[in-house]
Amino acid sequence: MIHKKYLWITQSFYSYYMYKSFFLIALLLIVLSSCQKKEIEKYQIDEITFSYQGGLKIPYNKVTIYVLKNNDSAKVIVQSRPLFDQPKWKYSNIDKRFNINTKTFEDFAETARSFDQINIDKAYIVGNDGSTWEIEFGSKGKNKSYSFWNPESETKNRGLTEFRKMFERIIDISKLNKKEILEN
């Protein structure tokens, strides 16, 4: 009789601590996974750089647009260079700066975060002629970069629709001639 009572107490005691341990481990896993999801979904973006390299294109051969946020303000820096430094291409030699509202910056940042969903294997192709488009974004040197050859080729099939739209929006906000820059 003492033996059965001892066995029952031991089993009850063991079951109590097993359930308690299981509950604590499950709770810990839930907390850690929810923290990890927040880190993946929202990371700080204070700077976005758009680069366009036009291969052998003469005007607007290299266009770089910086969109920067600092506390409660945002600005755009536009730099463009022609392939050859000749008077007839001077119009595409640009270096200008201006302010934009922070809502516009946040819209760009939100779109940039979605680029983590791009299937790189599907989007990646190599070509001999055309342009290379790159978008780099992040904060304090912790940047991500996406670079694709000629995103105008098979845009939808490659999954680059949002990438292309964002690039075009940046060119529009920079007050550059989108048609002339993006024509091949």
Side-chain angles (χ1 to χ4, degrees), residues 117-153:
Q117 306 304 315
I118 293 174
N119 180 338
I120 301 298
D121 292 333
K122 190 176 178 182
Y124 181 78
I125 61 173
V126 177
N128 295 325
D129 194 12
S131 58
T132 302
W133 303 15
E134 180 179 10
I135 297 179
E136 182 178 346
F137 55 92
S139 179
K140 299 178 181 133
K142 297 177 186 174
N143 295 350
K144 293 184 177 191
S145 177
Y146 293 90
S147 180
F148 299 104
W149 177 80
N150 205 10
E152 293 181 298
S153 174

Side-chain angles (χ1 to χ4, degrees), residues 95-113:
D95 192 356
K96 65 182 179 179
R97 302 161 195 270
F98 56 91
N99 293 326
I100 60 170
N101 64 48
T102 56
K103 171 72 171 117
T104 302
F105 179 90
E106 290 303 329
D107 289 345
F108 287 139
E110 198 60 38
T111 302
R113 286 184 188 97

Side-chain angles (χ1 to χ4, degrees), residues 4-17:
K4 286 183 180 181
K5 189 175 184 180
Y6 175 73
L7 184 62
W8 178 79
I9 291 172
T10 305
Q11 287 176 340
S12 296
F13 192 71
Y14 178 74
S15 296
Y16 170 75
Y17 281 105

